[in-house]
Amino acid sequence: MYKRCQMKKKHTKNRHHNSTKKITSVDVARLAGVSQSTVSRAFGTGNELTEETKKKVLKAAMELKYRPNAIARSLTSQNTNIVGIVMANAKSPFYSKTLDEFTIKLQKLGKQTLLFSVEKGRDIDEILSHVLEYRVDGLVITSATISSEMAEECANIGTPVILFNRYATGTNVSAVCCDNVKGGRDVADYLLDRGYTQLAYIGGNPKSSTNIDRLKGFQERLQERGFSDLLIRNDEYSYESGYRIAKELILEGKKPEVIFCASDIVALGAMDAAKHEFNLKTPEEIAIVGFDDIEMASWPTYSLTTIQQPIEEMTEFAIDLLESKIKKMNTKCELKLFPGKLIKRGSA
Amino acid sequence: MYKRCQMKKKHTKNRHHNSTKKITSVDVARLAGVSQSTVSRAFGTGNELTEETKKKVLKAAMELKYRPNAIARSLTSQNTNIVGIVMANAKSPFYSKTLDEFTIKLQKLGKQTLLFSVEKGRDIDEILSHVLEYRVDGLVITSATISSEMAEECANIGTPVILFNRYATGTNVSAVCCDNVKGGRDVADYLLDRGYTQLAYIGGNPKSSTNIDRLKGFQERLQERGFSDLLIRNDEYSYESGYRIAKELILEGKKPEVIFCASDIVALGAMDAAKHEFNLKTPEEIAIVGFDDIEMASWPTYSLTTIQQPIEEMTEFAIDLLESKIKKMNTKCELKLFPGKLIKRGSA
DNA sequence: TTGAAAGCGATACCAT
DNA sequence: ATGGTATCGCTTTCAA
């Protein structure tokens, strides 16, 4: 079937009022005396072309300061080399470290990170909608749960999603997590072994899977060993929250011997409250245990006993998993749990 | 001039082995019974079309779960709505807060953040080269200086660049900074007014403009008031560095009355060294002043006297500036300095 | 107001 | 190994 013949006209006026001329592969081709396809080949990998032509092209490109347009490439090649990362708390120590790890590792694979921040109370689906418009090759979601409708949409559109430090039951989304239940149990064992009997738990967001599991493991193990008396408070993952709750507990006359906090940052708050509000010594008068092992936990001022999350291995694994999903090598959904490691320091 | 008539063939085999069909504006157009252009218009703003047709299109889009392809849009519209952010130390408190501010504010303007991490010792030009391939609308560079060649290339390609918390002399790149010289001077005045006479300075990266200026202002003002005796050490912007240098100073028998540290994180290190290595009380036996006012500075354990950088205003301004450069409303290069504010706390 | 068609700047197929 | 061209999914003239 033949298409009607078309008359081609040149654009007459410059639509974009740009004073600087954009260099494209056509310009390079002209200068190098080759076809545009050849220029494209010279910049790809594993393409058949003479060393000589390649050199010729690269020289011309250099002269013109040509840089291939990744946007145009993405349109045809159907992959952007961009990974979207959605975070709700990007400025907290644990997550900023996580983000840094992801970014650096992805960069080494030639991939870029498109960052999205979910503010408290904002709808994550709306943000995901924007992420998907950019046709990211894959998506990492931390500290937020994805709705099952959205998960389905991602699957439809063919964008692999990985939850990091979270998991969602009922969706077909893979997740990479620390074994929070096990971490909670380990803390329980450690504390009971040290002879503590009056225990408290200060949690973060009570609806997050991390919080639920850390508490679950902790409480389960306590009960298995005959301790059912656990003081539990939840609020959010922050220093202020830890500070306030610890202060409240003590003011209410419920000072425990030891507090297990759902994250290090909460633990630091609790420790400071004990010290500065009541002048209590750690660990003699009140012991504190955290979770994450952020850098500050190892500072001598805090010397926080905590469960270390193997962030580097976790991010490494998450990226590998994402890559294999992008290449469709792996379609099954999995939940990968990494064991946390109890780091014994001075606070308990 | 007429082009030769071409025979158009349909692709026979699916190049990309995708099982899921991609929904495009053509599909929506077909379902809605309108042209593809109309679909495009329905998703743009300020386009002329009937409410009725628009509704029809959106309904069809909804049904098909259509989402416009931002990559394709970028290719034609010549803007990506992506801002590149280059950071060397994204996981430190100050920069992670900065990054968060940028991301959230840009998101509110409908723009995305493409994040690049510069590892120590890595070549920033190579990274910038990648950034530019994505044709970001603008570029924010923090904690790294841009080479003048690269700055020129950015200008050539038409990508506005803003340095944040840095400036580079000799390039035509705009910069948004805290007034570090003034900050240094203010600290000098404050400390002299409090009667300190033995002073030390612990710096970060000695080649960074922040470090140079903070020291410069500090030293200048000391000299103006007749103090020329300042102990100076530089290393890098980190807790460990602050800790180590403070320890060295004291071990060498050069314990000053007060140390001005080039950043809060260095200050916290110095404070901890004094406390845990030598059991010195702050501020009685050794006073410490920082710079930045990160969250931890306000924690009672540290209660760090410091110069507060107005991050929110600075990021706000940087984004406004970038926007106006993107819209070509503003072409002149400027260095905008924000005054820091001395926050008096317990450490000095 | 709407439709038709020309790009945007690459990639990848096909033919030479 | 190289060139020609259809195509990716939009935006934006231009014509009707």
Side-chain angles (χ1 to χ4, degrees), chain A residues 134-206:
Chain A
Y134 280 89
R135 301 300 190 262
V136 294
D137 290 348
L139 197 47
V140 176
I141 301 181
T142 70
S143 60
T145 31
I146 186 176
S147 70
S148 48
E149 306 89 58
M150 205 34 133
E152 199 186 335
E153 269 197 68
C154 290
N156 270 339
I157 211 174
T159 308
V161 178
I162 290 190
L163 295 182
F164 188 88
N165 202 33
R166 282 289 181 286
Y167 62 88
T169 46
T171 64
N172 59 339
V173 175
S174 292
V176 176
C177 271
C178 182
D179 190 338
N180 292 310
V181 174
K182 175 72 164 40
R185 296 179 65 90
D186 287 352
V187 172
D189 274 329
Y190 178 69
L191 295 180
L192 293 184
D193 289 350
R194 307 276 298 202
Y196 292 107
T197 55
Q198 292 168 281
L199 306 99
Y201 174 87
I202 300 183
N205 177 352

Side-chain angles (χ1 to χ4, degrees), chain A residues 69-322:
Chain A
N69 184 325
I71 298 296
R73 175 193 292 137
S74 300
L75 190 57
T76 42
S77 67
Q78 299 290 336
N79 67 311
T80 52
N81 279 338
I82 294 177
V83 171
I85 298 196
V86 180
M87 287 203 157
N89 201 5
K91 64 183 182 229
S92 79
F94 178 76
Y95 286 109
S96 64
K97 162 86 170 154
T98 300
L99 176 58
D100 204 44
E101 287 290 324
F102 269 116
T103 307
I104 288 174
K105 286 181 178 136
L106 286 169
Q107 229 165 252
K108 285 185 179 144
L109 297 172
K111 301 197 183 285
Q112 321 305 142
T113 306
L114 198 62
L115 177 62
F116 295 81
S117 212
V118 188
E119 280 182 286
K120 216 179 301 181
R122 284 293 288 290
D123 187 16
I124 183 179
D125 281 15
E126 189 200 316
I127 287 175
L128 282 184
S129 211
H130 276 110
V131 187
L132 294 179
E133 290 191 2
Y134 280 89
R135 301 300 190 262
V136 294
D137 290 348
L139 197 47
V140 176
I141 301 181
T142 70
S143 60
T145 31
I146 186 176
S147 70
S148 48
E149 306 89 58
M150 205 34 133
E152 199 186 335
E153 269 197 68
C154 290
N156 270 339
I157 211 174
T159 308
V161 178
I162 290 190
L163 295 182
F164 188 88
N165 202 33
R166 282 289 181 286
Y167 62 88
T169 46
T171 64
N172 59 339
V173 175
S174 292
V176 176
C177 271
C178 182
D179 190 338
N180 292 310
V181 174
K182 175 72 164 40
R185 296 179 65 90
D186 287 352
V187 172
D189 274 329
Y190 178 69
L191 295 180
L192 293 184
D193 289 350
R194 307 276 298 202
Y196 292 107
T197 55
Q198 292 168 281
L199 306 99
Y201 174 87
I202 300 183
N205 177 352
K207 282 182 289 189
S208 68
S209 66
T210 46
N211 192 48
I212 292 170
D213 287 350
R214 287 168 196 175
L215 174 56
K216 183 180 161 205
F218 189 53
Q219 204 167 15
E220 249 178 31
R221 186 61 186 145
L222 290 182
Q223 282 168 357
E224 285 173 17
R225 294 184 57 173
F227 288 77
S228 57
D229 201 26
L230 176 63
L231 204 53
I232 301 173
R233 294 286 166 92
N234 284 301
D235 193 344
E236 59 172 26
Y237 286 108
S238 73
Y239 175 89
E240 289 73 22
S241 173
Y243 196 100
R244 186 169 32 71
I245 295 181
K247 184 174 168 186
E248 284 169 12
L249 284 181
I250 298 171
L251 277 181
E252 293 167 13
K254 298 175 183 157
K255 187 190 86 56
E257 287 171 344
V258 57
I259 305 178
F260 173 34
C261 298
S263 87
D264 283 358
I265 202 83
V266 171
L268 300 185
M271 211 189 278
D272 277 357
K275 181 170 164 195
H276 295 279
E277 299 283 339
F278 307 99
N279 205 23
L280 296 175
K281 281 203 184 66
T282 300
E284 296 83 359
E285 298 175 282
I286 189 164
I288 308 273
V289 177
F291 206 112
D292 285 346
D293 196 31
I294 60 179
E295 267 185 34
M296 280 172 272
S298 68
W299 292 2
T301 293
Y302 291 107
S303 184
L304 181 67
T305 293
T306 190
I307 299 282
Q308 180 179 71
Q309 294 206 54
I311 298 192
E312 310 204 352
E313 293 151 56
M314 287 166 69
T315 51
E316 184 88 41
F317 183 90
I319 289 175
D320 287 348
L321 181 58
L322 199 57

Side-chain angles (χ1 to χ4, degrees), chain A residues 5 20 67 70 80 100 107 112-113 115-117 129 133-135 153 156 239 272 276 296 299-302, chain B residues 5 20 67 70 80 100 107 112-113 115-117 129 133-135 153 156 239 272 276 296 299-301:
Chain A
C5 287
T20 50
R67 225 181 298 279
T80 52
D100 204 44
Q107 229 165 252
Q112 321 305 142
T113 306
L115 177 62
F116 295 81
S117 212
S129 211
E133 290 191 2
Y134 280 89
R135 301 300 190 262
E153 269 197 68
N156 270 339
Y239 175 89
D272 277 357
H276 295 279
M296 280 172 272
W299 292 2
T301 293
Y302 291 107
Chain B
C5 287
T20 50
R67 225 181 299 279
T80 52
D100 204 45
Q107 229 165 252
Q112 323 304 143
T113 306
L115 177 62
F116 295 81
S117 213
S129 211
E133 289 192 3
Y134 280 89
R135 302 298 190 264
E153 270 198 65
N156 269 339
Y239 175 90
D272 277 357
H276 295 279
M296 281 173 271
W299 292 2
T301 293

